[in-house]
Amino acid sequence: MVATGFIVAIPVFLDVGLVILAPMLYALSRDAKRSLLYYGIPLLAGLAVTHAFMPPTPGPIAVADIIDAKLGWVIFFGLILGFPTAVIAGPVFGNYIANKIDVRPPDTFEVNVQSQSSDAPPFGMIAWIIAAPLILILLGTMTDVLVEEQFIVQSKLTEIMVFLGHPFSALIIATLLAIYFLCMRRGMENQEIMELSTKALGPAGIIILVTGAGGVLKQVLIDSGIGQVIADSVAEMALPAILLSWTLAALVRITQGSATVAMITAAGIM
């Protein structure tokens, strides 16, 4: 369940992933006669960790841009730190809390087993399309670092690798691959592809709006001098910077609910 949440949250938002996978949770809980929390907490841990730790979800990308961090390093350390965090918060805590609280699926729930369509795309193809932007970003970042440290000589090839590894380029390439392999190759008409792309702009537009608003808040903090006042106050408290950034993000996350806004706000203040 942790691995499922970890993978599913890369291409879709956390709440969407939960809605999609909820029937599977109910079925597992009913058949195994275990508390919903036994499977639900690990799934939520995987979804939440990817949402907060792993690009191309919007929060980590926005934070990397605000604090001028290499996105490849964000992906690298996100993997190293994210999965153990998901394991501790998921199976370990889920097993503990499921023994304390027994939650059963609703009585109205019924499992409808539907046969998979014969023309459905293979899992391997979907996995590669999802992984493509992450691989390109990592390769671009590593190439940039190797050139800066003079391990390799700068050339046209390294410039192309860095260009392809830029988040904009990597995500555009992944989008084009998805359109070609999942739409055009499967006989989808141009009008259908256009309608599908238009629908995708809805949730993306909300994220762009939230990210933009977070950027505005950051600039207000900077221009008004509030950020400096907070920084001076915190300096007197002798709080470690990492602990401070985590505390700010956690407080905003708890009070207003959005992980993306919490990350952007904390990054702006830092």
Side-chain angles (χ1 to χ4, degrees):
M1 296 310 297
V2 171
T4 300
F6 206 81
I7 294 169
V8 168
I10 294 176
V12 302
F13 301 131
L14 188 152
D15 51 350
V16 177
L18 180 61
V19 170
I20 292 172
L21 297 172
M24 182 173 66
L25 281 180
Y26 289 160
L28 282 170
S29 176
R30 185 201 61 182
D31 295 343
K33 296 180 172 57
R34 300 294 298 263
S35 171
L36 268 175
L37 300 177
Y38 185 77
Y39 299 106
I41 295 296
L43 176 64
L44 283 170
L47 289 168
V49 163
T50 299
H51 184 69
F53 279 73
M54 290 294 297
T57 50
I61 291 178
V63 170
D65 180 63
I66 291 171
I67 65 175
D68 196 24
K70 295 283 187 183
L71 198 56
W73 287 119
V74 175
I75 296 173
F76 180 71
F77 286 111
L79 279 171
I80 292 176
L81 298 173
F83 201 76
T85 302
V87 170
I88 294 171
V92 175
F93 177 70
N95 183 58
Y96 168 78
I97 199 68
N99 291 325
K100 303 290 183 182
I101 305 173
D102 187 23
V103 181
R104 295 294 173 179
D107 296 333
T108 55
F109 171 71
E110 294 181 2
V111 181
N112 295 319
V113 181
Q114 297 178 348
S115 60
Q116 187 179 17
S117 175
S118 58
D119 64 343
F123 173 77
M125 179 190 296
I126 297 173
W128 273 111
I129 291 173
I130 293 172
L134 302 178
I135 294 171
L136 287 172
I137 291 170
L138 280 172
L139 287 176
T141 300
M142 293 305 297
T143 302
D144 195 27
V145 170
L146 291 173
V147 169
E148 287 181 2
E149 298 295 330
Q150 299 182 345
F151 286 111
I152 58 176
V153 180
Q154 185 172 3
S155 63
K156 288 292 182 185
L157 179 60
T158 59
E159 291 177 1
I160 291 172
M161 290 300 298
V162 172
F163 172 75
L164 293 178
H166 191 280
F168 294 166
S169 304
L171 290 171
I172 288 172
I173 290 170
T175 302
L176 294 175
L177 287 173
I179 291 174
Y180 177 72
F181 285 107
L182 302 180
C183 298
M184 297 173 67
R185 283 280 296 272
R186 300 178 66 207
M188 192 176 290
E189 297 292 334
N190 290 342
Q191 186 60 33
E192 289 182 86
I193 298 174
M194 184 65 70
E195 290 175 0
L196 189 64
S197 302
T198 302
K199 288 180 182 178
L201 290 175
I206 295 173
I207 292 298
I208 292 170
L209 179 62
V210 170
T211 305
V216 171
L217 174 60
K218 178 203 74 170
Q219 201 59 42
V220 169
L221 292 173
I222 293 173
D223 292 345
S224 64
I226 295 175
Q228 189 61 45
V229 172
I230 294 174
D232 292 340
S233 301
V234 170
E236 295 174 1
M237 295 170 60
L239 263 181
I242 294 177
L243 179 59
L244 171 66
S245 60
W246 182 89
T247 303
L248 287 171
L251 288 174
V252 177
R253 176 77 166 92
I254 292 169
T255 53
Q256 54 77 46
S258 170
T260 302
V261 173
M263 286 186 278
I264 294 172
T265 303
I269 293 175
M270 292 307 294

